[in-house]
Amino acid sequence: MNRRLSAIKSMVEMGRRLGVCNFSLDDVKGEKVETYRDTMGIPAEDYALVIALVDRSTLKGKRDYAIMRLLWDNGLRRQEIVNLNVRDFNAKEKTLAILGKGKGSQKEILDLSERTTDAIASWIKASKNKRGLDPLFTVLAYYKNGARLTGEAIRRLVDGLCKQAGITKKMSPHRVRHSAITTVLDLNNGNYRATQRFSRHAQVQTVLKYDDNRQRLQKQMSDSISELI
């Protein structure tokens, strides 16, 4: 609803600039949307089943494995993965330069785990994309072979593997990110600062929402007060 309303308001605003209408829709407000309602994702043991399905002996498997590791080990957004070029990866330093959300053209450097570093290095070695400005992850099908992989392709990859692993929850790259952030909170016992560094959220309040959902505080309080009556 909000997307459609935004499109209509943009059309009316353009009409005003062109002089074909003299009214505005600025007073029309969109629906209030509550973000981060479901941040639980899936546990690490379930994601381990998912990533184990990737056949790392094939070229496609090497690519997919590196993508799936980045989604989990660094909680990357799918567009952040799409935007990566070969030169953004530094195997020696075990780092990756990404265009983070809301950062404009300024890249930030992320440290990579040993396993993720090996996965990306293995993919680059096996693929033909060795020049610095080449996209890091590319299409392998006959049609558009070598083109930059799209966010939709990454979504289909995650959705397909999760269904194959028997995950009943509807999964997406962002749901994997939710899963990773929630797991990090579990591992560090609710350390907001460390988790914010991992998730790269601008506001710590967003991390607090993850932690509230993780601990199910409302349910705990409801169960406690119920016992009094």
Side-chain angles (χ1 to χ4, degrees), residues 31 50 53 85 103 110-111 129-130 132 153 174 228:
E31 290 286 322
V50 173
L53 293 172
N85 293 326
K103 301 295 183 180
L110 300 183
D111 291 309
N129 304 303
K130 299 185 183 300
H174 211 66
L228 300 178

Side-chain angles (χ1 to χ4, degrees), residues 3-228:
R3 284 196 297 268
R4 292 182 179 183
L5 180 59
S6 177
I8 293 171
K9 292 172 75 172
S10 295
M11 181 181 66
V12 171
E13 179 60 28
M14 180 59 70
R16 289 186 63 197
R17 294 179 183 179
L18 297 176
V20 297
C21 70
N22 58 3
F23 59 90
S24 170
L25 296 179
D26 289 344
D27 292 335
V28 180
K29 304 300 180 184
E31 290 286 322
K32 290 186 177 181
V33 179
E34 181 184 353
T35 58
Y36 301 102
R37 288 178 296 177
D38 180 9
T39 59
M40 292 300 294
I42 58 176
E45 51 267 29
D46 284 354
Y47 194 75
L49 296 176
V50 173
I51 203 169
L53 293 172
V54 179
D55 183 1
R56 295 157 60 186
S57 66
T58 67
L59 183 60
K60 181 180 182 301
K62 293 179 186 298
R63 182 200 67 184
D64 294 350
Y65 182 72
I67 291 172
M68 297 299 286
R69 289 228 72 103
L70 283 171
L71 288 171
W72 179 264
D73 292 2
N74 289 87
L76 291 194
R77 302 173 177 91
R78 65 176 175 177
Q79 194 57 44
E80 292 170 340
I81 295 177
V82 167
N83 292 335
L84 290 171
N85 293 326
V86 173
R87 70 177 182 181
D88 295 325
F89 172 61
N90 188 323
K92 183 178 180 180
E93 299 293 332
K94 299 178 184 176
T95 61
L96 192 67
I98 71 165
L99 282 172
K101 182 180 178 182
K103 301 295 183 180
S105 60
Q106 183 178 358
K107 292 189 176 182
E108 55 182 314
I109 305 298
L110 300 183
D111 291 309
L112 301 174
S113 69
E114 189 78 39
R115 292 180 179 179
T116 301
T117 300
D118 290 344
I120 297 175
S122 178
W123 154 245
I124 292 177
K125 182 178 180 180
S127 69
K128 297 179 181 180
N129 304 303
K130 299 185 183 300
R131 292 176 297 180
L133 291 176
D134 286 342
L136 180 56
F137 297 110
T138 55
V139 177
L140 295 176
Y142 178 77
Y143 179 64
K144 290 188 177 181
N145 184 50
R148 187 180 296 273
L149 199 67
T150 66
E152 174 60 18
I154 296 176
R155 185 201 67 78
R156 291 197 303 267
L157 168 65
V158 172
D159 181 62
L161 286 174
C162 287
K163 287 180 178 177
Q164 189 179 347
I167 305 298
T168 56
K169 189 168 191 173
K170 180 67 176 176
M171 292 298 293
S172 66
H174 211 66
R175 283 278 173 86
V176 176
R177 174 173 161 82
H178 287 333
S179 306
I181 295 171
T182 299
T183 302
V184 165
L185 280 166
D186 285 335
L187 291 174
N188 63 32
N189 198 27
N191 186 324
Y192 302 146
R193 183 181 178 188
T195 304
Q196 187 180 13
R197 291 294 297 171
F198 172 82
S199 67
R200 294 168 288 110
H201 283 118
Q203 303 294 331
V204 72
Q205 285 78 6
T206 304
V207 179
L208 292 177
K209 290 181 180 179
Y210 276 86
D211 198 37
D212 287 346
N213 290 346
R214 174 183 72 97
Q215 297 188 63
R216 301 184 68 182
L217 296 178
Q218 176 266 312
K219 183 181 186 303
Q220 290 182 33
M221 296 303 99
S222 292
D223 287 344
S224 297
I225 197 171
S226 174
E227 296 299 323
L228 300 178

